[in-house]
Structure formats: structure tokens, C-alpha cells
Amino acid sequence: EWQLERLTSARDDVGALAAFVAELAAALEPPAESTWHAHATWAEALVDRYLGSEARRARWPEGEIEAAQRVEAVLAELGGLDAVGSSVDLPRFRRALVAELDTRAGRVGRFGEGVLVASLRDGYAGDFDVVYVLGAVEGALPPRGREDPLLPDRDRRTIDGLPTHATQRLDERREFLAALAAAPERVLCFPRADTRAQRSRLPAQWVLDSARALGATEMTAERLRDHGALPWLDVVESFDGLVRRGVPGSRTEYLLQSLGAWCEAGERPETHPLARDGLGRGLRAARARAFDAASAYTGFIDPDAALVPGAAHPTSPTALQDWAACPFRYFLGRVLRLRDVPRPEATEAISALEEGALIHGILEDFLRDGPQLTDPTTRWTDADRERLDGLVDAHCADAEARGVTGRRVSWILARRRIRTTARRFLGVDEWVRARFGVVPAPDGLERAFGDPGQVPVAVDLPDGRTVHFRGRIDRVDRSPAGDRAVVYDYKTGSSTWYAATDDDPVDAGRALQLPVYALAARAQEGVADATACYWFTREEEPDEALLELDLEAAEERFVGVVGTVVDGIAGGCFPGFPGEPAWDHRALRDAWSMCKWCDFDRLCPVDRGSLWERVEADPASAPFRALDPSAEEDPS
């Protein structure tokens, strides 16, 4: 029911959005008359329609109200230009409107009061009370710079008027000194460490020059960074120290100072007035996570039979795989039903999910629209290759129209990769069909099971419970004699993710799709011999593109793992498991193996590794630890 409600709501939203876009497209059509009055009236109607008329601006900030009045005044002025006797079109009207709106805005407050935030070059001939130079560290003041590799200094010196790298450095030094000369009091600030990069920083050479001018003739950058307070040097040991003993610079710092004074007086932070609402819950969560005991704040909730998957309604094997990979991921996505909010406008490159769906669609259309194969040894023709290239172009054009392809340069590379993957499929497909002696079943593409009106896959557990599965198989092949079935699940990612299946066919619960698909094919095709394979579309060699599952050998292990996962979910076991330390090549930073591709990475605490270590040995984590047969019974 919840999924039906979500889809119904999404359908209504799409309809409303389509109506809005159609209305906006019609409203943006410029007027047919080439008069200033017609264009100004048209623009005023757009402002009233989409920004609100004056009656709807009562609660706007004062500055926004003044800006809206300025826009209306400019439009009124432009509407009176017909008296000049000239006609106007949309480009000319736009240029005139932009020119009028780009004039300098009115001043806020009295001249000479307030704070000016600007670059150093804006301090020339200034008259300020105090000048603060922020971030004066080595590499930032002056900023690092190199000679232009296309036009180095030796070539620039031969052309009058071209600045060299050396002259740019002199200009930067001049700007710095001019900024210092603009006020009687000058404050240079530099951080002693980069907390994000976890490394120390050195003051800029220009800061060191100022220190030596104040009498510290023997001062080096390292000594200045590590030196204590002097008459001309203030040292802030940390943000905490600044908040506790400094002057609050914001409401947040004021509240933190109040909370710190409360604790220094011997009071518990949970009893502070600020801790009555959200802060109190955060303090309790932090305190709970600091201890080894399992609690609701570390991923363990009360047992609940309603959480058991596949009992009342069929579940998907990927849902149980989520719990086996990280129980907290399952809790967020499957219990709380949280979803990552897509941001197409921020897409740099096509996502792995979209690229995988694109390749799946291309291969499905190629097999469905092509001739029905009856001989496993049939080879694809040049006409088939041309038809496949056409499908690649059509699906890629559709992806571009949907706005999921990202930046143009990255999409060019991705499109080339998709075409190569599709062409490689033909050779691997010939090898696969000949090896198994099968051909694609007439109804074997995107075959569903367990959906409403369909029979699910039933897995009987040793304790008498039954778990029902639903899913959709990418492709089902069968032998011409009808006594054998082979199912494939296309994987567009790397095969290294499934290397552990060599020792454990279900990879501690993280590879449950193939057993479920094999059971579904065995039941639907009415055969005893059902083989399931992962098909890695990026692998070039046919024998490396296929990972085969022996269902008879894996079935007992599969049933045991499913029972363990169901027990863990019903028991409320949802700790966060980050996996092993890994390198995230997308963000160019250290990460965790289970977190690199997780939609909920931003929701997990920074110290997730330490948090898992604290709860790993707790008996409440036993269901999750039991998935790995190589793990010790007591990790402590």
C-alpha cells in the first residue's frame, strides 16, 4: 500500500509539473508587438505571476521588498520609452533591463560604518580602523603560482605589456603592504593546523617578516607556529579554548560558552536548559555511543515480528543483501524507507545505476526485437551489429533527454564505454550459448516472479518458517530439448566485488540473487537442472565474464544464511558495519569499503569504525557476526 501511495503521489506531482512547464513555456513567449510598453507589461505580468504581487510580499525582508520595488520601477521606466519612437525586440529589451538592474544598489547604513570583506587589492588608499588578514599560511599568502606553460616568462619579456610571474609576485606584495598601511591596527591570522587534512601548517613568509620587524629577529616559521603568547602574538590553542575564554562571535558561540560554563560549575550537560529538546537527545546518543553496550543509539532496537521480511509479503533478495552488507543501511532504507534525493542539476557524470539500467535496456531490446534463436551455435551477423549500434544511439539519446548523463566530456567517455560493452556482448553471448547448449527463452527477458498475481519463490527455513521472494530475472535461456534452464543477472560493475563467492557461494549473505533466481527458474521452467550466473558485461574474456552458481552445492548454505538474516532483522539488530578501510577514488579520500557506494554515507557518524569496534563483541551483534563462517565466535 505504501508503494502504491508513493507512486500515486509521484504521478500527481509529475502531472502538476508538466502543467507548470507548459504554462511557463506559454508565458515566456514574448509579445507580438514591438513596443516598449508591450514588453514591459509582459515582464510585469511574469513578475507578479511567479514572484508574487505586492500584496504577497508583506512578509518579505525589507531589502527584498525594496529590490522588488526597484524592478517594478525599472520596468515602468522602460515602458515609457515608446515616446522616443524606436521599436524593440526581446534581445534589445533584455539588454536594456539588465543594464538598468546592474546599476549600483543603494547603500545600507551610514557611510564609514560596518565591516568590509574584500581581497587585499581592495585595500589601496583605504582608511580603516582595523585590517584583518585571514588565512595567512604558507601557500596561500601569496597564493602558489607557476609560470604559464604556454607562454613562460622568457617569452613574455620579449613582448611589451605582458606581465611576468615575477612582476605578479611584486604586485601581490605591494597589495599586501597597501592593505596593512590602510589602518593603524593590523592583525594577521594563520591556522597552525589543517583539521581536514590532519597536518600542521606554517605561517606565510610575509607573516614571518612582520614578526621579525617586531623584534623577533631569530624567529623561524616553525618557532612562530609553536611559540607561546607574546605582547604582539596571541595564541588560540583550539576552538574550544576560544569559546570558553574568548568573546563570543556568534549566537552559537554564546550558547556553547554558556554550556561550557555550566559544565565547569559541576553540572551535567543534560540538565542545561538548552538540552531540553534536540540537544538533549544528541547528548544521550553521544554518551551511549561512547560505551560498548548495545543500545538504540548504536543500532539495536526491540525485537519486532512485524519487521520480518518475506512473511506477509514477498521480499527481494537485494533487501536481505543490504542487511548482510550493513544492517544499518537496511534499517534506513527498508525500515525507515529513506531515499536519497536526486539532484540532476549537480550530476557530473552518469551514475553507475543509470549506466547499468541503460545497458540492461539495450540488451533487452536487442534480444526481444531480434530473430528467435533455435540453435545454440547461431552466430550474430553484421546486420545484428548494426541493429545493436542503433539501439545504443537511441537509448543514449533518451538518457540525454532525461538529463542523467552529466557533463559533456564525461558523457562522451561513458557513451564510448557503453558502446564497447554492447559490442562485446555479442561475442560473449555466442560463447555462453554454445557452452551451455541453450538459447534465449521466448518469454525469458525481464521475467518477474512474486509480483501481485504471480507465484513467489518460497524458501522453507529449518524452524518451519517460510520466506517468500520476489524479483525480476534479466534473462532466462533454455535448451532446445527443454530439460535445462540457465538464468543470467547482468552486472555492469567490476567482478572483484564477487571474488569472495569462490569460498562462500553467497558471500556471507551479500550474494543472494543467484540462488533465488535459480529456484525461480527451476519452478517456472519445470526443470531439475537450473543454473544461475552473474554476467559481468565489462569483462573482455568470455570465461571471465561469467560467474556460475552450483545451486545443489549452495542451497543448504543459502537457506541457513537467509534464516540468519531474518533472525537478525526480527531481533532488531541494525548496527552500522563500515567494512574495511579503503580509498574512495571519486572523492579522493580515505573511506570504508561498505560506505563508498552507500546512499546513507552522510548520515553515519564520522567515527563509524570505532563505533563498530565497540559493539562488535556485544552479544546483540551475534546474528550479524554469524553470517561470516570464517569469523571467530568471540571477536573480543
Side-chain angles (χ1 to χ4, degrees):
E1 292 181 1
W2 68 267
Q3 190 170 16
L4 180 60
E5 292 176 0
R6 180 176 64 83
L7 293 174
T8 303
S9 176
R11 181 194 61 190
D12 295 340
D13 290 343
V14 169
L17 179 60
F20 167 77
V21 171
E23 174 194 311
L24 180 62
L28 290 179
E29 285 293 328
E33 300 179 36
S34 58
T35 64
W36 289 96
H37 176 74
H39 281 76
T41 303
W42 166 71
E44 289 172 350
L46 288 176
V47 171
D48 290 342
R49 175 66 182 87
Y50 295 107
L51 296 184
S53 61
E54 186 174 357
R56 298 179 60 186
R57 304 172 192 162
R59 296 185 179 181
W60 283 19
E62 182 178 352
E64 297 294 335
I65 294 177
E66 293 178 356
Q69 293 172 347
R70 170 65 176 159
V71 171
E72 292 177 342
V74 168
L75 290 175
E77 292 174 1
L78 293 178
L81 291 181
D82 288 324
V84 179
S86 62
S87 61
V88 64
D89 55 10
L90 182 60
R92 186 181 181 190
F93 179 78
R94 180 188 293 117
R95 288 195 299 270
L97 180 61
V98 170
E100 288 296 315
L101 294 179
D102 278 348
T103 57
R104 185 176 298 276
R107 188 169 58 247
V108 177
R110 298 174 56 188
F111 182 77
E113 295 182 351
V115 177
L116 172 66
V117 180
S119 61
L120 289 176
R121 64 169 58 97
D122 295 323
Y124 269 109
D127 184 12
F128 306 110
D129 296 325
V130 186
V131 168
Y132 295 89
V133 179
L134 307 181
V137 292
E138 188 178 60
L141 188 72
R144 288 192 177 96
R146 299 179 180 177
E147 291 187 16
D148 188 338
L150 299 179
L151 196 61
D153 282 359
R154 66 173 181 272
D155 296 329
R156 287 174 174 268
R157 294 189 185 97
T158 63
I159 304 175
D160 294 337
L162 284 184
T164 64
H165 179 67
T167 58
Q168 290 176 359
R169 280 289 175 261
L170 291 176
D171 291 341
E172 291 166 352
R173 176 66 172 173
R174 188 179 301 108
E175 292 168 359
F176 172 72
L177 296 177
L180 296 187
E185 182 179 352
R186 289 73 59 99
V187 181
L188 309 181
C189 305
F190 65 90
R192 296 185 294 177
D194 185 344
T195 56
R196 181 182 298 273
Q198 294 294 307
R199 62 186 180 91
S200 60
R201 302 295 298 269
L202 291 175
Q205 180 62 41
W206 294 349
V207 176
L208 196 60
D209 293 341
S210 297
R212 290 169 178 168
L214 293 171
T217 55
E218 303 299 326
M219 190 71 73
T220 63
E222 290 80 2
R223 289 179 182 176
L224 181 59
R225 180 194 61 195
D226 301 330
H227 207 284
L230 292 170
W232 47 268
L233 179 65
D234 292 329
V235 179
V236 180
E237 64 273 18
S238 64
F239 174 75
D240 178 70
L242 176 64
V243 170
R244 288 177 179 271
R245 290 176 287 278
V247 178
S250 65
R251 180 176 182 272
T252 299
E253 291 182 4
Y254 176 81
L255 297 177
L256 287 174
Q257 192 174 75
S258 173
L259 188 60
W262 183 271
C263 296
E264 289 179 353
E267 301 290 343
R268 297 180 59 187
E270 295 88 343
T271 61
H272 193 278
L274 292 173
R276 292 174 181 173
D277 298 318
L279 179 60
R281 292 192 295 271
L283 292 172
R284 289 192 295 273
R287 186 179 296 276
R289 289 169 180 162
F291 295 96
D292 294 339
S295 69
Y297 294 107
T298 54
F300 300 91
I301 63 176
D302 294 334
D304 188 350
L307 296 177
V308 177
H313 304 283
T315 187
S316 65
T318 54
L320 302 194
Q321 288 178 179
D322 281 348
W323 190 89
C326 174
F328 190 54
R329 180 193 304 176
Y330 178 94
F331 180 75
L332 294 175
R334 307 288 177 169
V335 178
L336 300 184
R337 295 172 183 160
L338 301 183
R339 295 290 183 270
D340 189 26
V341 178
R343 296 179 58 206
E345 74 281 359
T347 301
E348 295 291 335
I350 187 171
S351 67
L353 186 64
E354 288 287 353
E355 184 173 340
L358 200 59
I359 293 175
H360 278 66
I362 292 170
L363 301 184
E364 178 188 354
D365 288 352
F366 175 76
L367 293 174
R368 176 175 286 115
D369 300 338
Q372 179 63 45
L373 302 180
T374 58
D375 185 354
T377 61
T378 301
R379 302 182 68 86
W380 298 111
T381 65
D382 291 340
D384 293 321
R385 291 178 173 81
E386 292 180 4
R387 182 165 58 88
L388 181 61
D389 286 343
L391 288 171
V392 171
D393 293 337
H395 279 265
C396 287
D398 176 69
E400 292 176 6
R402 290 186 289 115
V404 299
T405 57
R407 303 288 184 182
R408 178 171 177 79
V409 173
S410 62
W411 172 234
I412 291 175
L413 299 177
R415 185 165 181 162
R416 187 181 305 165
R417 182 172 61 246
I418 292 169
R419 186 179 300 277
T420 301
T421 298
R423 290 176 174 174
R424 184 186 302 122
F425 165 81
L426 298 178
V428 177
D429 177 75
E430 294 174 347
W431 179 87
V432 168
R433 287 187 283 107
R435 177 190 171 189
F436 290 118
V438 294
V439 294
D443 57 346
L445 299 176
E446 293 295 321
R447 180 182 290 181
F449 59 91
D451 286 346
Q454 297 175 333
V455 178
V457 170
V459 176
D460 297 325
L461 302 182
D463 59 3
R465 293 175 298 171
T466 300
V467 180
H468 297 91
F469 287 97
R470 58 177 170 81
R472 188 174 295 272
I473 304 173
D474 290 337
R475 173 177 163 185
V476 179
D477 286 6
R478 61 187 176 199
S479 61
D483 58 346
R484 184 180 191 186
V486 182
V487 300
Y488 311 97
D489 185 52
Y490 296 134
K491 296 296 182 184
T492 54
S494 172
S495 61
T496 57
W497 286 93
Y498 299 88
T501 56
D502 293 339
D503 301 322
D504 180 4
V506 295
D507 188 16
R510 293 185 287 268
L512 301 178
Q513 285 177 285
L514 289 189
V516 174
Y517 290 174
L519 291 173
R522 190 166 66 181
Q524 291 179 342
E525 295 293 326
V527 299
D529 186 3
T531 302
C533 304
Y534 286 126
W535 186 326
F536 301 103
T537 59
R538 289 192 183 182
E539 295 295 339
E540 297 184 2
E541 298 298 328
D543 56 345
E544 295 179 359
L546 228 58
L547 178 61
E548 182 178 349
L549 171 75
D550 185 349
L551 180 59
E552 292 185 2
E555 191 166 3
E556 181 178 357
R557 168 66 175 156
F558 163 72
V559 173
V561 167
V562 169
T564 301
V565 172
V566 170
D567 289 340
I569 295 174
C573 176
F574 301 105
F577 176 66
E580 302 296 328
W583 176 255
D584 189 346
H585 67 275
R586 298 177 304 164
L588 300 179
R589 60 179 176 86
D590 292 328
W592 296 92
S593 59
M594 291 298 171
C595 304
K596 289 169 59 176
W597 310 103
C598 181
D599 290 339
F600 308 114
D601 181 33
R602 291 171 293 176
L603 298 183
C604 288
V606 177
D607 60 340
R608 63 195 70 177
S610 301
L611 183 60
W612 166 246
E613 291 178 357
R614 288 196 289 270
V615 303
E616 181 182 8
D618 195 282
S621 299
F624 180 70
R625 297 200 311 269
L627 289 177
D628 189 355
S630 63
E632 300 178 0
E633 291 297 326
D634 183 5
S636 62

